[in-house]
Amino acid sequence: QVQLVESGGGLVQPGGSLKLSCADSGRASGRYDMAWFRQVPGKEREFVAAIRAVGSRIYYSNAVKGRFTISRGDVRNTVHLQMNNLKPEDTAVYFCAADERVYEYYSSKYYDFWGQGTQVTVSS
């Protein structure tokens, strides 16, 4: 079964960088569509970036495009999120997600497997 674990969150100044990582510690077989979402208290989970298993097509939200980069790790079903030029509005809990054949990459309801989240705080 898929079990996702995120790491790499922390406190960073505006304009700084962080790299998040997500790995499957379960027993997943095959390649999964994977994504990053973020959430602040009282708000819905927000799409950040996704990468398809087939063809590795990449998608970004308008809020992070040009600043964040999603990439696959060396191990199957691992994914990274390089975050550059961070802004205070990027502050959130970041979650990685995975599932097979996700229909709409930007919708959280299509992902069955989630990590526990890692806090990213951007503040001076």
Side-chain angles (χ1 to χ4, degrees), residues 37 104 107-112 114:
F37 290 78
E104 293 179 333
S107 179
S108 62
K109 69 180 182 180
Y110 291 104
Y111 297 89
D112 288 336
W114 295 85

Side-chain angles (χ1 to χ4, degrees), residues 90-109:
D90 295 318
T91 297
V93 177
Y94 284 71
F95 298 88
C96 65
D99 212 339
E100 295 181 87
R101 300 179 300 277
V102 172
Y103 181 60
E104 293 179 333
Y105 65 89
Y106 53 84
S107 179
S108 62
K109 69 180 182 180

Side-chain angles (χ1 to χ4, degrees), residues 68-102:
F68 292 11
T69 302
I70 188 171
S71 62
R72 295 192 180 278
D74 294 332
V75 180
R76 186 175 65 180
N77 294 326
T78 64
V79 66
H80 304 289
L81 186 69
Q82 177 66 48
M83 305 184 294
N84 296 327
N85 192 24
L86 284 161
K87 304 176 180 180
E89 52 263 43
D90 295 318
T91 297
V93 177
Y94 284 71
F95 298 88
C96 65
D99 212 339
E100 295 181 87
R101 300 179 300 277
V102 172

